[in-house]
Amino acid sequence: MKQEERRQQTTRQLLEATKALIGEKGCHVITMKDIMERSELSKGAIFHYVRSKYELFAWVLEESLTATNDRFEAQVERHPGAFEQPMEALAKQFAELEEAGSPTNKVLMYLLGKEDDPVVADVLRQYYERSVRFSRQWIETGQRHGAIPASVDAAQTAELFVLLSLGLRARTSIPGAGKAFRAGHFASFVSGSLRGESNS
């Protein structure tokens, strides 16, 4: 097996083991020993790629962003200049924002409680910055293709969308929180904002 194939296989094993353990135990009690046993990888193999479970949690966040971006770009490539298909690719991911059991949501809430740790703070900063960067990139792609008006402020709108998505994610950990604003409403709000429509 080539080195790159081995790296991809190891990464996949670690990600799947980590997500499974998050679903079973939550983030607080998972240890590197648990991950080693579940992934069936040696300590040396794991520590060749990561030094802590926080780095694995960062991979979980990264995977979610990358998957959404890949779906968006695939739709832009298939339907250049269209608005609906790329928007649908993003809207499908919005449902995860309100899933309490989502590994991404569980990891994010766990890490937000440990933001004083410099490693965790760096993971959170990178996740936020990358979320905003992807969001802005999607808007600017639509503007280049004429599907989104140039009058839409890409930087401001991108950050607004990320802030709202983080709010939806955070709400999943608040028992009994109201749900008058759902993922579908968020999708409609995003779609209207990107078309330059008033949401008032």
Side-chain angles (χ1 to χ4, degrees):
M1 183 184 297
K2 293 179 181 177
Q3 188 173 353
E4 178 59 20
E5 289 174 349
R6 187 178 297 110
R7 185 193 69 76
Q8 289 178 0
Q9 181 180 326
T10 302
T11 299
R12 177 54 44 199
Q13 281 178 259
L14 284 170
L15 263 172
E16 293 307 320
T18 301
K19 289 192 294 184
L21 286 164
I22 289 169
E24 292 168 19
K25 297 184 170 192
C27 296
H28 292 80
V29 298
I30 297 172
T31 64
M32 290 301 283
K33 185 174 183 287
D34 293 329
I35 293 166
M36 183 175 70
E37 289 173 357
R38 178 59 63 92
S39 67
E40 299 182 344
L41 292 166
S42 70
K43 183 177 179 180
I46 293 174
F47 282 91
H48 179 73
Y49 293 99
V50 293
R51 294 183 301 275
S52 71
K53 70 178 185 179
Y54 297 146
E55 291 182 44
L56 284 169
F57 290 167
W59 286 10
V60 173
L61 297 178
E62 176 71 21
E63 181 191 43
S64 175
L65 280 176
T66 301
T68 303
N69 188 58
D70 289 348
R71 281 192 290 271
F72 173 82
E73 289 189 348
Q75 289 302 321
V76 169
E77 194 172 310
R78 283 192 202 106
H79 309 279
F83 180 87
E84 287 77 14
Q85 292 85 355
M87 184 61 218
E88 282 173 19
L90 298 178
K92 281 180 185 174
Q93 191 64 23
F94 293 164
E96 185 209 20
L97 297 174
E98 42 185 13
E99 289 174 14
S102 154
T104 302
N105 293 345
K106 287 189 169 207
V107 164
L108 192 57
M109 293 304 101
Y110 171 75
L111 293 179
L112 283 170
K114 297 193 168 292
E115 76 282 2
D116 290 338
D117 183 308
V119 173
V120 173
D122 193 49
V123 167
L124 289 169
R125 178 187 57 77
Q126 288 184 41
Y127 175 71
Y128 182 79
E129 288 176 355
R130 185 150 186 171
S131 297
V132 173
R133 188 167 63 248
F134 272 146
S135 187
R136 182 171 180 168
Q137 179 181 304
W138 299 332
I139 294 167
E140 290 173 345
T141 296
Q143 289 175 324
R144 278 196 306 275
H145 285 87
I148 296 173
S151 59
V152 172
D153 185 318
Q156 190 178 76
T157 305
E159 190 157 3
L160 173 62
F161 292 164
V162 171
L163 290 172
L164 286 171
S165 70
L166 288 172
L168 286 169
R169 288 190 187 282
R171 189 177 66 185
T172 64
S173 65
I174 302 172
K179 294 191 176 178
F181 186 80
R182 305 295 303 260
H185 300 115
F186 180 51
S188 296
F189 174 78
V190 169
S191 179
S193 298
L194 295 180
R195 291 179 184 274
E197 298 169 1
S198 170
N199 290 288
S200 56

